[in-house]
Amino acid sequence: MAKKEESVKLLGFWISPFSRRVEMALKLKGVPYEYLEEDLPKKTPLLLELNPVHKKVPVLVHNDKILSESHVILEYIDQTWSNNPILPQDPYEKAMARFWAKFVDEQILPAGFMPLVKPKKGIEVAIEETRELIMFLEKEVTGKDFFGGETIGFLDMVAGTMIPFCLVRAWECMGIDMISEEKFPGLSRWIKKLNEVEIVRECIPPKEKHIERMNKIIERKT
């Protein structure tokens, strides 16, 4: 009996760090996939059908299996295609990668946008609070090429799509040098290393177009 040909589709949005990290994982694994671009904030009937709970990208469709939420999708990809592991094999290291990835999306992301929307506490206070959070990652990556060690892994994909290729660009729009090389030498080195990885470069939104879009978003929020 002939093996059924695999079908992999990804619904994403070009500036979404959540969908770009899934693309990185698929490219790292060498998995052929069909990319379906959503034009957010409009939502296609297909997106609403496939992800009725959150109504957000990314959504991965593997044959007849539908998955949402980027961390869940990354782990599914890692377990389904075993080459080029994304998560550490050691149980403790795997747990810590998940912990810090959650920290990035749930704490650094909302804190990182606070300086952009004129917080009541003041911009300088918001910047310092954000730097305090980022310092935890500085300590984690110091002495390493990547959070995953010598090669890009789960936390690199999550933090990489969120911090240097999303938040840093938003901060640049406001003239904020949040992650200076002097204060964050480890992260600065890590960002340079990320830029050397081909699959990362392939998944980074074009900078000028990205910043133009972010400026419009910031204008709406301020």
Side-chain angles (χ1 to χ4, degrees), residues 22-88:
V22 173
E23 284 199 82
M24 285 184 191
L26 291 169
K27 288 178 180 292
L28 180 67
K29 297 283 188 178
V31 178
Y33 64 97
E34 179 184 356
Y35 178 75
L36 303 171
E37 173 74 2
E38 290 287 320
D39 185 19
L40 300 180
K42 292 183 287 185
K43 300 177 182 186
T44 65
L46 180 62
L47 175 61
L48 297 175
E49 175 190 344
L50 295 177
N51 190 5
V53 176
H54 299 297
K55 303 178 178 65
K56 296 177 180 179
V57 296
V59 178
L60 185 78
V61 184
H62 178 211
N63 297 330
D64 57 349
K65 302 180 184 75
I66 303 167
L67 297 103
S68 60
E69 297 296 300
S70 65
H71 292 200
V72 173
I73 296 172
L74 290 176
E75 292 209 35
Y76 177 82
I77 290 171
D78 200 31
Q79 293 173 26
T80 303
W81 293 278
S82 59
N83 61 306
N84 299 330
I86 295 171
L87 277 158

Side-chain angles (χ1 to χ4, degrees), residues 141 145-147 156 159-160 164 186-194:
V141 81
D145 286 345
F146 301 101
F147 287 101
D156 298 288
L187 281 170
S188 297
R189 181 173 178 272
W190 168 71
I191 291 170
K192 289 175 183 175
K193 282 286 185 182
L194 278 179

Side-chain angles (χ1 to χ4, degrees), residues 14-15 20 169 203-212:
W14 69 277
I15 63 169
R20 303 311 281 201
R169 291 179 175 183
C203 295
I204 299 171
K207 187 172 182 178
E208 289 185 9
K209 183 181 175 184
H210 194 182
I211 288 178
E212 181 182 349

